[in-house]
Amino acid sequence: MSLFSALTAGVSGLSAQSSAMSAIADNITNVNTVGYKNADVDFQTLVTRQTTSSFYSAGGVRAQTKNTFDVQGLLQPSSSQTDIAISGDGFFVVNEASQPVTGDQYLFTRAGSFAQDDEGFLKNTGGFYLQGWPTDPSGNVILPSNSNASLANQSIISNDFLETINLSRVGGGASSTSNMTLGANLPANAAIGDVQRIDTFFFDSLGSANSPTFAFTKSAANEWDLTAEPPTGSAVATLYDSAGGVYQSTGHLEFSAIPDAGQSVIIGGTSYSFVNGASPVGDDNIQVDGGRTLSQVVADLRDEVNNDLAGTPASNSPRDARVLLITGDAVNPDITIDPNGVSSGGSPASRQTNAFTVQDRDNTNAGIIFSAAGVPAAFNIDKMSVLGFENGAADMNDVDLDGDGTIDVERVTLDLGSIGEINGMTQFDGEFTPNVMQQNGSPFGTLAGISISAEGVVEALFDNGESRPIYKIPVSTFVNPNGLGARTGNVWNETVAAGDATLREASIGPAGEIIQSSLEGSTVDIAEEFTDMIIVQRAYSAATKIISTADEMLDELARIKR
């Protein structure tokens, strides 16, 4: 009977409009939910097969929810550096477990309001943890040790490739100096033998600052030699030319106390003994009693060394007379200095405790040769090595610390300017004027923040000015993102309708770019929702009118019997 079909059609209308009202309610209540995608409800007819053209039986209406997971929400600025948003297609990969294992399901979200939990893992307000590819310091994705893949796996999402991003485990570090820039004007009117000094500093592999002294000595018109006095707490500094030949090598013994009588040091194969009582020069004995000062003892040792070796390789440091300098030359072969455990009162009398070698000179040309125009015409100095740090730092001598075939601590490249240009060392009339002293490297630093690039590279920023890539955030794309299954917490799971997830590098191909300190707003338009609410309300009222009218008509039919 068509009246009964009218009743059921009215009921279907109530049901459909109720569904639409539920969607509107969900949308309005999530108007401020980060990454929320509004739900739309479409209607479709329910048709009853008609048995005759003169008789009509109502079918009704059915509500069909339409997902809009692929709609871009407006990006809103945020003050948090761990808030991120995707501009374009794709989803963040998340997991409900902070350290996923087999069986923990990977889910997908656009809600990028992440913050560190009590263990340093990045977790959003829904309680899901952000997944990323770990990287090496060069920014390359770290693959499993048994993987032959050239890129991170793009079709299988597993904890073999992904891990939860954790910022508390990012350790600080130090960076050794590998480049130094020196610039100064050397006075053209200086006399032969005049010396000009520059105190600089560099960082060793442990991040400690060290202060070598560079001494420029005028050797001829328009020509200057250069020596480097090792920094305090090291043993020897050597300058090299561009071919790797030794230009100048200087070592030192830094005495902190007068050695006890009976102690000795070995220099150039000769043992020099510290004794009580006066001793003539030439017998390799140095008097330590009679009220002598440490400077006097070191001066006597200097004289004894110069008496035994050709030339005058030994001298006192201009910075401290208690320091004995040994400078290599082209006359003497390599000079080995062995402190030989020299002590004073049971404690080391010298800061240097291990033997070291001062190399003889290969290149005897002037260190810097200037043209008549006062600009450099030739440099015979290219790099510097420093060995024997008492703090345990690695020798700065092209050292491979971990045996992987890569140099970890380099010799320091010395940039003294360019040939024919006024951008470093110059020689003009006037005063000695240092003007450029720069170096790379840094002391130990702790994590101060992070930076996230559009490509998803997470860089750790340290308070010493250094930075280091630590993760790369992948973006997951789907053939049909609107087919994903919605889950509580503003996340979605894979479905057959959505297709398989594909992990991509952000901003490459169909994957959107990642924006730091931004959040994607809800796609809900509150004005549109209120308008739809009015329409749904009217439609619901009309459906109730169908039911009440059909009921009245059935009542009239029932009264016929009476």
Side-chain angles (χ1 to χ4, degrees):
M1 186 176 180
S2 58
L3 278 177
F4 287 108
S5 69
L7 276 172
T8 57
V11 171
S12 70
L14 293 178
S15 177
Q17 300 306 324
S18 295
S19 294
M21 189 62 193
S22 296
I24 292 171
D26 237 5
N27 291 341
I28 292 176
T29 53
N30 284 282
V31 68
N32 289 320
T33 300
V34 173
Y36 177 78
K37 305 300 179 183
N38 67 298
D40 289 338
V41 174
D42 288 341
F43 301 99
Q44 54 185 261
T45 59
L46 292 174
V47 178
T48 302
R49 183 183 295 275
Q50 308 300 325
T51 58
T52 175
S53 60
S54 61
F55 184 85
Y56 186 85
S57 182
V61 66
R62 181 170 65 186
Q64 181 68 44
T65 303
K66 182 177 70 175
N67 297 321
T68 58
F69 302 153
D70 60 347
V71 176
Q72 174 74 52
L74 293 176
L75 299 187
Q76 305 165 347
S78 166
S79 59
S80 172
Q81 60 187 356
T82 55
D83 283 345
I84 50 179
I86 297 175
S87 177
D89 294 338
F91 300 82
F92 298 117
V93 182
V94 295
N95 199 294
E96 200 166 8
S98 61
Q99 300 182 65
V101 296
T102 303
D104 291 325
Q105 186 178 14
Y106 287 93
L107 301 169
F108 310 93
T109 187
R110 299 275 294 196
S113 52
F114 294 99
Q116 293 188 69
D117 69 1
D118 56 351
E119 295 182 278
F121 294 105
L122 288 188
K123 181 173 70 171
N124 68 8
T125 52
F128 295 92
Y129 292 91
L130 180 63
Q131 305 298 300
W133 290 314
T135 66
D136 61 23
S138 299
N140 301 311
V141 174
I142 299 174
L143 298 170
S145 58
N146 60 348
S147 173
N148 294 320
S150 58
L151 292 174
N153 193 301
Q154 293 190 342
S155 60
I156 299 176
I157 302 176
S158 77
N159 55 11
D160 289 335
F161 293 86
L162 294 171
E163 65 179 52
T164 302
I165 294 179
N166 189 308
L167 302 183
S168 68
R169 299 178 182 177
V170 180
S175 175
S176 61
T177 296
S178 60
N179 290 281
M180 293 181 68
T181 300
L182 297 178
N185 180 62
L186 298 172
N189 57 353
I192 304 300
D194 280 359
V195 180
Q196 308 294 341
R197 292 182 173 83
I198 298 178
D199 290 324
T200 62
F201 75 94
F202 64 82
F203 297 101
D204 60 32
S205 63
L206 298 180
S208 299
N210 297 267
S211 300
T213 297
F214 290 96
F216 298 87
T217 303
K218 190 165 186 179
S219 56
N222 297 330
E223 295 183 2
W224 293 77
D225 287 332
L226 176 61
T227 58
E229 182 178 340
T232 297
S234 66
V236 58
T238 303
L239 301 176
Y240 300 87
D241 60 24
S242 58
V246 174
Y247 174 78
Q248 188 67 266
S249 183
T250 303
H252 63 185
L253 284 174
E254 299 175 278
F255 287 96
S256 55
I258 296 176
D260 292 334
Q263 299 290 308
S264 65
V265 296
I266 302 171
I267 300 176
T270 300
S271 179
Y272 297 93
S273 299
F274 299 97
V275 298
N276 290 326
S279 179
V281 175
D283 64 356
D284 300 332
N285 292 325
I286 298 95
Q287 182 183 357
V288 294
D289 63 352
R292 312 198 79 223
T293 65
L294 179 56
S295 296
Q296 290 174 320
V297 171
V298 173
D300 283 355
L301 176 59
R302 173 202 64 202
D303 294 340
E304 291 292 342
V305 172
N306 286 335
N307 184 70
D308 293 331
L309 297 177
T312 54
S315 62
N316 293 103
S317 169
R319 297 187 300 187
D320 188 343
R322 297 169 298 178
V323 176
L324 177 71
L325 295 180
I326 305 293
T327 302
D329 52 34
V331 179
N332 294 292
D334 292 352
I335 302 172
T336 297
I337 296 96
D338 184 357
N340 199 31
V342 64
S343 63
S344 176
S347 299
S350 167
R351 296 185 67 169
Q352 289 68 38
T353 56
N354 297 318
F356 58 91
T357 299
V358 174
Q359 300 180 69
D360 63 342
R361 189 169 179 177
D362 299 324
N363 189 331
T364 58
N365 296 314
I368 308 175
I369 301 173
F370 293 97
S371 70
V375 295
F379 292 111
N380 288 303
I381 299 165
D382 182 57
K383 294 189 176 184
M384 174 182 70
S385 69
V386 181
L387 315 179
F389 292 98
E390 68 175 346
N391 65 354
D395 290 341
M396 304 182 75
N397 194 31
D398 292 345
V399 177
D400 176 10
L401 294 178
D402 49 18
D404 62 356
T406 301
I407 292 174
D408 298 301
V409 184
E410 305 175 33
R411 290 176 177 174
V412 179
T413 298
L414 299 177
D415 181 3
L416 303 177
S418 303
I419 301 297
E421 296 186 21
I422 307 175
N423 60 0
M425 301 302 299
T426 59
Q427 181 192 248
F428 295 106
D429 191 22
E431 298 294 326
F432 172 63
T433 309
N435 49 50
V436 180
M437 285 182 287
Q438 296 177 342
Q439 70 290 313
N440 64 356
S442 62
F444 173 77
T446 57
L447 184 67
I450 62 169
S451 171
I452 304 175
S453 71
E455 293 75 27
V457 177
V458 181
E459 268 195 312
L461 307 178
F462 300 96
D463 57 10
N464 59 3
E466 294 291 307
S467 62
R468 184 175 76 244
I470 51 175
Y471 292 99
K472 179 175 281 189
I473 301 173
V475 173
S476 180
T477 61
F478 296 86
V479 175
N480 175 29
N482 291 327
L484 290 169
R487 299 272 291 272
T488 299
N490 210 10
V491 294
W492 297 275
N493 60 272
E494 283 184 276
T495 64
V496 174
D500 291 333
T502 301
L503 292 188
R504 302 182 186 274
E505 296 180 72
S507 77
I508 296 178
E513 64 179 11
I514 294 178
I515 309 299
Q516 185 182 19
S517 296
S518 293
L519 292 173
E520 183 180 1
S522 168
T523 57
V524 173
D525 183 337
I526 196 71
E528 182 179 344
E529 298 301 324
F530 282 154
T531 302
D532 290 344
M533 188 188 300
I534 295 171
I535 295 172
V536 168
Q537 181 184 18
R538 295 301 184 189
Y540 189 89
S541 298
T544 61
K545 196 65 175 175
I546 292 173
I547 296 173
S548 62
T549 301
D551 177 60
E552 290 175 0
M553 292 174 68
L554 287 171
D555 188 53
E556 289 294 331
L557 184 63
R559 281 199 293 267
I560 292 175
K561 180 181 179 182
R562 295 195 297 269

